[in-house]
Amino acid sequence: MKKLLAVCACLLVFTAVRATATTPFCWDNTDKLIVKLKTLDLTTEQLKDVFAYQAEHRELMAASHEDGRGCRVHENHEVVFEKMSIGVLTDEQFKKLEGRARNETEALRYENYLLQKEVQRMEKELAALKKQLAALQAAK
């Protein structure tokens, strides 16, 4: 009888843990990289981007278990998260983290990141200018 109660208690705890966590048996190793990156004095913009990449990774992690693809999907994606996160670093930050200069692929990834940021800035500026133009035309 005591064994049956112990088994039931274990099943109840397991069910409660399973209900509260989408992936209770998977490790999210992204925090280790973020701790390393925080020692580099990242800008607010860099931190926002890294945390956005982490949120995307965690969404993928949950989705891969919900739809049955399993752990391999999010384990493979950790490399993508790492490359994207390191891709936000300046040359000095990168050298401090890795102890070397960027290779060609890493340099292209960083240039792509900078170009994406510039395009986003320009799109916001264009939207503001369009709004001003519309306001001027409405005033006439």
Side-chain angles (χ1 to χ4, degrees):
M1 185 67 166
K2 290 181 182 181
K3 288 182 181 181
L4 182 61
L5 283 174
V7 169
C8 288
C10 288
L11 286 174
L12 182 64
V13 169
F14 176 76
T15 304
V17 168
R18 184 73 181 148
T20 60
T22 58
T23 57
F25 302 112
C26 292
W27 293 100
D28 183 7
N29 297 319
T30 59
D31 290 329
K32 290 178 186 178
L33 178 62
I34 289 178
V35 168
K36 287 181 187 178
L37 293 177
K38 282 185 177 180
T39 65
L40 302 174
D41 296 324
L42 300 180
T43 65
T44 304
E45 190 70 25
Q46 287 173 313
L47 281 172
K48 281 176 36 182
D49 291 338
V50 169
F51 285 126
Y53 299 149
Q54 185 183 39
E56 290 173 16
H57 176 74
R58 288 184 174 166
E59 288 172 10
L60 174 79
M61 192 173 177
S64 69
H65 286 279
E66 287 174 6
D67 63 19
R69 290 179 288 164
C71 296
R72 180 62 70 197
V73 171
H74 65 80
E75 288 170 352
N76 290 339
H77 191 265
E78 281 184 26
V79 174
V80 174
F81 164 77
E82 185 175 319
K83 289 180 180 187
M84 290 171 63
S85 296
I86 291 174
V88 307
L89 302 178
T90 64
D91 290 335
E92 295 81 25
Q93 291 168 329
F94 183 87
K95 188 161 187 160
K96 187 175 178 182
L97 178 71
E98 297 292 331
R100 61 174 175 81
R102 286 185 164 100
N103 64 31
E104 185 179 353
T105 304
E106 293 162 339
L108 289 172
R109 185 174 286 113
Y110 181 62
E111 289 175 23
N112 187 40
Y113 169 76
L114 293 177
L115 288 171
Q116 287 175 346
K117 288 295 171 188
E118 182 65 14
V119 167
Q120 289 172 357
R121 185 193 64 77
M122 291 174 78
E123 286 174 342
K124 286 180 186 177
E125 189 176 325
L126 180 61
L129 289 171
K130 284 181 179 179
K131 188 175 180 181
Q132 287 177 352
L133 180 61
L136 288 172
Q137 288 175 344
K140 288 185 180 181

